[in-house]
Amino acid sequence: MRIYILLLGIIVGSCNSNTNNTEQKSSTPKETSKMSSDIDKRVANLLEQMTLEEKIGQMTQITLDVITKGDNQYSSSKPYTLDSALVDKAILTYKVGSILNTPGVPLSKEEWYNTIKVFQDKTAKTPRQIPIIYGIDAIHGVNYTTGATLFPQQIGLAATFNTELVKEIAKISAYETRASSIPWNFSPVLGLGRNPLWPRLWETFGEDVYLGKTMGVAMIEGYQGELGDRYRVASCMKHYLGYSVPLSGKDRTPAWIPERELRQYFLPAFKEAVDAGSLTLMINSGEINGVPVHASKFLLTDILRDELGFDGIAVTDWADINYLHTRHKIAETIKEAIKISINAGVDMSMVPHDFEFIDLLIELVKEGSVPIERIDSAVSRILKVKMQLGLFESPVTDPKDYPDFGSNKFAAVSRKAAIESITLLKNKNQILPLKETTKVLITGPTSNSMRPLNGGWSYNWQGSEADTYAATMNTISEAFLKKGNTIFKQGVSFDKTDDINAAVQAAKQCDVVVLCLGENSYTETPGNINSIIMPDDQIELAKALAKTGKKIIFVLLEGRPIIFNEIEPLADAIFMAYLPGNYGADALVDLVYGVENPSGRLPINYPKHPHAFVNYNHKHSDNIAIPNYYESDYDQQYQFGDGLSYTTFEYNNLTISAQEMNQEGTLEVSVEVTNSGNRTGKESVLLYISDLYASITPEVKALKGYKKIDLDVGESKKVSFTITKEQLSFVNEDMKTIAEAGDFEISIGNLKTKFKLN
């Protein structure tokens, strides 16, 4: 019989302090409390003066297209022009509280300043002079501002296993966002990328709970820093909750998630983000178990507010209140949809195209269908965030005050991130690194475009303008050609089948082929696919090149793992590059030629078969196999945590501070890591824990700690972790987070040891 130890709180608790580095706050708890108290008083005083119309205006967010001239919201032509009459209607008449999005093209930071200043100057003419809060999807750098620094997408940042680097990137992104006069960033994505079909998997930190929540906290700390700092922004954790695992794998289609799994796997990252002080949250557009999240009081109030203690802004995603009527069909009218969602706990509606929300919500309040207390709580949160950001004092920021915008030092961080993210999965007979004298052919559909390097949300929504706006950056073929001794032939491209024979003839003149495969840029519903198998033309190209007998290096540029098991044996080396950003090609060349040493690790399982999607922390019953009788579902091309280096690392002396641990105690774990190879390198030390027996079927193993270290040739370092009961706990059938007494196993590298929880 197992003994249950009930934990305080609803989910796995705080991150291990040894593995999740956090910066020290400069203000003391008393100072922070006083600051919060002062703001609360200001909010209450302002709220008392506001009319109902002003309050509901604050709850309204419109897209920039609503107040520009012309009617094509997807236009990508310059110049765009604000319509002064529509600006007056939005701000002076309806007193909207927020605006988002771009005019379809990226703007310079000066153009952003001039645009947003118009809005803020207009709010100064309203009775209460409440500034608008402008929001943007700056998810891998300020992708809608020309000249800004673009970084690897989140899936690549997860592959670095380096929280300090992620925090630094977020800090730079915040700096360049505020340089554009924008104080609110719709990032990070905290959903778990556990379904490889999903077209937004690359926006996540991968499939693991612990990796996702620690990376998320690092990003939030980098974005927000000290509230009111003109170099920081409000973060927006998204998409709450369970958005990332639709049953079909298609974007915004229904999800089916038992509450126990919702709490065990999907809630922890949001709990950690709330505890880290994230100011805002965006709601999942989809439905869970038949209930749209925008209509769920259970998720938006009972759990989010009452259990997690979140007191920031809960904003909808694009038009999602209306979708309760038009898509989900749970509301017979738009008005009913508004009533359901506001009463469920929505604070701000990303409307985004009209002012009907304001008119109908005013009617609902006057009818008594939506209580004024619900309006006041929403508006209080909105006003508080605006005050925390200092918008009342400084509604815009002067771009001249941001001299490091787009600087070389920021570019160096992006390149470093790409180097640490790109993951070497195969290196047969140590073909890599190449010598610079090696004659190389560069070919394949992702070899000569910036789109597959950056992915979606890059200069425009689908990333389709990256080749125009990142024209000064290097594609992979351009980066290799600058090394010399390189030939480029496309082979196949995304918009047509090129002459495969031309690539084959070029290969015969070379020593090695670098074959760039993968996907073009996409995101959200346009990225839905019916097959996750690599396209036929890419497979045909690989097979034709293999027949030349030349060594082949695959480079995979993709936002999700595209199955290529048919041609995997043809490759002598394989890089998983994810979506490494504007400096990804330069980073790749440095890795191929050994200027840099690979250190990326897979943050996901890479599936081998199209109908066998199993996560690394699977159950024991996922691994049943009888040879020549039936196949196991757990047969992966590559596994979470895989990643090679040009040097070797040895693990020794795995020790624990005791053989037994009490429920309120801790266990110190250490291991010695030695660089036993012939060059310096970085190693991600991953600590896994297995609960050997539990009342809820245990996972085979789960990540519970990680550290990235640098080691010179022959150097050894002792790496230490602290284990608490929170890392040993799970959610039981009663929806309680418990730690059960019993035996556990720790594994680091090739070493294992056991201990007992009393």
Side-chain angles (χ1 to χ4, degrees):
M1 180 176 178
R2 303 294 296 242
I3 300 171
Y4 295 156
I5 301 167
L6 183 62
L7 299 184
L8 297 176
I10 64 164
I11 59 169
V12 175
S14 301
C15 305
N16 181 351
S17 61
N18 285 290
T19 59
N20 181 28
N21 300 310
T22 57
E23 69 182 19
Q24 295 295 316
K25 304 294 185 184
S26 62
S27 56
T28 66
K30 286 184 179 180
E31 289 170 339
T32 302
S33 176
K34 183 177 184 300
M35 185 188 308
S36 179
S37 176
D38 290 344
I39 288 177
D40 288 338
K41 289 177 183 176
R42 288 176 62 195
V43 167
N45 181 58
L46 182 55
L47 193 68
E48 271 188 12
Q49 304 172 45
M50 295 173 69
T51 65
L52 176 62
E53 290 75 13
E54 288 172 322
K55 292 176 181 178
I56 292 175
Q58 286 299 303
M59 297 171 66
T60 306
Q61 185 179 64
I62 59 171
T63 182
L64 181 61
D65 181 62
V66 171
I67 48 182
T68 58
K69 293 183 178 178
D71 57 2
N72 181 9
Q73 60 173 301
Y74 301 109
S75 172
S76 59
S77 61
K78 274 194 174 185
Y80 87 101
T81 307
L82 291 175
D83 186 316
S84 58
L86 292 176
V87 172
D88 285 353
K89 181 179 180 181
I91 296 177
L92 298 182
T93 303
Y94 281 102
K95 301 174 180 63
V96 298
S98 183
I99 304 173
L100 82 155
N101 220 352
T102 77
V105 291
L107 305 179
S108 69
K109 61 184 186 299
E110 290 78 15
E111 288 172 315
W112 275 120
Y113 169 81
N114 291 331
T115 297
I116 294 172
K117 191 173 187 303
V118 169
F119 307 145
Q120 303 295 23
D121 287 348
K122 196 69 69 173
T123 64
K125 298 178 181 179
T126 61
R128 257 35 90 187
Q129 300 182 356
I130 302 171
I132 61 108
I133 180 170
Y134 205 100
I136 206 77
D137 287 281
I139 68 168
H140 69 126
V142 197
N143 34 270
Y144 291 139
T145 302
T146 55
T149 311
L150 295 195
F151 298 93
Q153 298 281 4
Q154 269 191 212
I155 192 69
L157 296 184
T160 69
F161 282 82
N162 188 338
T163 52
E164 284 301 312
L165 179 57
V166 169
K167 188 188 298 185
E168 184 179 8
I169 286 167
K171 187 175 180 180
I172 292 170
S173 295
Y175 178 98
E176 295 195 342
T177 304
R178 287 307 289 266
S180 310
S181 281
I182 299 172
W184 189 8
N185 186 3
F186 301 137
S187 175
V189 170
L190 297 181
L192 291 183
R194 295 173 72 84
N195 186 331
L197 274 169
W198 191 51
R200 304 189 75 169
L201 180 138
W202 52 269
E203 294 185 53
T204 76
F205 287 120
E207 69 177 57
D208 180 68
V209 176
Y210 188 85
L211 180 62
K213 71 182 184 180
T214 50
M215 285 282 174
V217 167
M219 186 163 274
I220 288 165
E221 290 175 345
Y223 284 148
Q224 292 193 172
E226 292 297 328
L227 295 177
D229 185 336
R230 64 177 178 168
Y231 302 119
R232 303 298 181 97
V233 296
S235 66
C236 184
M237 44 183 168
K238 64 186 191 184
H239 305 81
Y240 178 86
L241 184 69
Y243 174 46
S244 59
V245 286
L247 193 63
S248 70
K250 304 293 181 67
D251 186 47
R252 291 181 166 88
T253 58
W256 295 91
I257 312 171
E259 184 183 343
R260 197 196 69 77
E261 294 217 348
L262 200 70
R263 289 178 177 274
Q264 173 124 3
Y265 296 108
F266 299 95
L267 206 55
F270 288 94
K271 171 64 165 66
E272 296 292 336
V274 169
D275 291 347
S278 183
L279 292 178
T280 74
L281 170 146
M282 188 178 291
I283 303 166
N284 170 11
S285 298
E287 62 182 69
I288 301 174
N289 306 336
V291 180
V293 179
H294 283 80
S296 175
K297 183 176 182 295
F298 173 66
L299 292 176
L300 296 182
T301 298
D302 298 349
I303 292 184
L304 180 62
R305 304 296 185 184
D306 299 340
E307 292 189 24
L308 299 193
F310 178 62
D311 195 36
I313 301 171
V315 62
T316 76
D317 207 335
W318 191 268
D320 276 336
I321 289 180
N322 287 7
Y323 287 146
L324 296 181
H325 167 63
T326 61
R327 177 188 290 165
H328 298 291
K329 306 292 184 181
I330 69 161
E332 293 185 4
T333 64
I334 296 294
K335 185 174 179 179
E336 184 185 4
I338 294 170
K339 179 184 76 172
I340 291 170
S341 59
I342 299 301
N343 285 335
V346 169
D347 295 323
M348 181 181 285
S349 173
M350 189 184 292
V351 179
H353 281 121
D354 55 50
F355 304 101
E356 184 181 33
F357 170 81
I358 298 175
D359 295 329
L360 293 177
L361 185 50
I362 289 171
E363 289 180 17
L364 287 164
V365 174
K366 289 181 176 179
E367 293 167 4
S369 298
V370 174
I372 188 64
E373 293 80 11
R374 177 74 272 278
I375 301 299
D376 286 348
S377 65
V379 177
S380 294
R381 292 173 186 136
I382 294 165
L383 296 176
K384 184 172 182 177
V385 169
K386 292 182 177 184
M387 290 180 186
Q388 287 172 312
L389 290 169
L391 297 183
F392 281 82
E393 295 74 27
S394 301
V396 289
T397 48
D398 190 335
K400 297 187 183 69
D401 294 335
Y402 298 82
D404 289 330
F405 178 92
S407 63
N408 289 335
K409 70 177 182 179
F410 288 174
V413 176
S414 179
R415 185 168 180 156
K416 178 185 178 183
I419 288 167
E420 289 202 27
S421 70
I422 295 172
T423 305
L424 180 61
L425 295 174
K426 186 176 184 180
N427 192 13
K428 186 178 177 182
N429 298 322
Q430 282 70 54
I431 178 180
L432 294 170
L434 298 181
K435 296 179 180 178
E436 290 195 20
T437 54
T438 304
K439 193 164 188 180
V440 176
L441 168 68
I442 307 298
T443 189
T446 61
S447 60
N448 195 34
S449 172
M450 296 305 298
R451 290 184 63 181
L453 286 166
N454 280 300
W457 301 109
S458 302
Y459 305 106
N460 66 351
W461 178 38
Q462 292 296 309
S464 58
E465 299 296 321
D467 285 319
T468 298
Y469 289 99
T472 59
M473 304 297 176
N474 288 324
T475 65
I476 291 176
S477 61
E478 290 167 344
F480 271 93
L481 286 166
K482 288 179 179 179
K483 277 283 184 181
N485 215 21
T486 299
I487 296 175
F488 167 67
K489 292 287 182 182
Q490 186 78 54
V492 298
S493 56
F494 290 114
D495 55 356
K496 64 181 184 301
T497 299
D498 296 310
D499 187 358
I500 291 179
N501 186 59
V504 169
Q505 295 305 315
K508 292 177 181 179
Q509 305 170 40
C510 298
D511 304 309
V512 172
V513 176
V514 175
L515 176 55
C516 303
L517 305 169
E519 302 181 290
N520 214 348
S521 62
Y522 60 86
T523 191
E524 299 192 61
T525 306
N528 284 347
I529 53 176
N530 292 319
S531 173
I532 201 169
I533 299 174
M534 187 167 282
D536 290 342
D537 56 354
Q538 297 190 41
I539 292 174
E540 183 184 350
L541 176 61
K543 288 180 176 179
L545 291 167
K547 289 178 181 178
T548 66
K550 303 296 183 178
K551 301 292 185 183
I552 302 179
I553 300 167
F554 286 0
V555 177
L556 306 175
L557 289 167
E558 50 196 29
R560 55 195 155 196
I562 301 300
I563 293 171
F564 67 117
N565 62 1
E566 184 179 356
I567 58 172
E568 193 276 348
L570 304 180
D572 296 278
I574 299 172
F575 282 106
M576 176 60 166
Y578 315 96
L579 303 169
N582 275 339
Y583 300 94
D586 305 302
L588 177 68
V589 168
D590 283 350
L591 291 167
V592 167
Y593 288 107
V595 178
E596 299 286 349
N597 194 351
S599 65
R601 298 282 198 102
L602 276 180
I604 52 172
N605 265 2
Y606 201 115
K608 191 175 186 178
H609 310 288
H611 302 296
F613 303 152
V614 184
N615 300 118
Y616 91 93
N617 55 337
H618 58 281
K619 301 299 183 77
H620 291 273
S621 55
D622 280 318
N623 205 24
I624 300 172
I626 300 177
N628 304 317
Y629 187 52
Y630 60 79
E631 295 178 340
S632 167
D633 279 339
Y634 194 70
D635 181 22
Q636 307 298 305
Q637 194 75 67
Y638 298 100
Q639 294 189 58
F640 178 95
D642 281 356
L644 302 174
S645 171
Y646 295 149
T647 191
T648 55
F649 299 97
E650 290 184 0
Y651 287 74
N652 294 290
N653 301 322
L654 174 59
T655 61
I656 54 178
S657 57
Q659 297 301 312
E660 297 186 9
M661 173 181 156
N662 294 325
Q663 59 163 324
E664 299 303 330
T666 60
L667 191 74
E668 302 303 319
V669 181
S670 65
V671 68
E672 185 180 274
V673 185
T674 302
N675 183 344
S676 55
N678 57 10
R679 60 178 297 161
T680 59
K682 299 176 187 292
E683 174 73 341
S684 293
V685 182
L686 310 184
L687 180 149
Y688 298 96
I689 293 180
S690 303
D691 189 347
L692 300 185
Y693 293 92
S695 57
I696 296 292
T697 55
E699 302 160 320
V700 171
K701 66 177 182 178
L703 184 74
K704 297 298 180 181
Y706 61 91
K707 280 188 175 180
K708 193 160 194 177
I709 58 173
D710 296 274
L711 289 171
D712 291 330
V713 175
E715 183 182 8
S716 297
K717 284 184 179 178
K718 181 179 178 181
V719 181
S720 299
F721 303 91
T722 300
I723 303 301
T724 67
K725 67 183 178 184
E726 283 80 9
Q727 289 144 293
L728 311 178
S729 59
F730 60 89
V731 178
N732 71 1
E733 285 188 291
D734 296 325
M735 305 303 141
K736 304 296 184 182
T737 298
I738 63 170
E740 287 182 349
D743 294 328
F744 293 81
E745 183 175 74
I746 294 171
S747 58
I748 304 179
N750 59 341
L751 305 177
K752 295 183 178 182
T753 189
K754 294 179 181 179
F755 70 96
K756 182 184 291 292
L757 176 66
N758 293 323

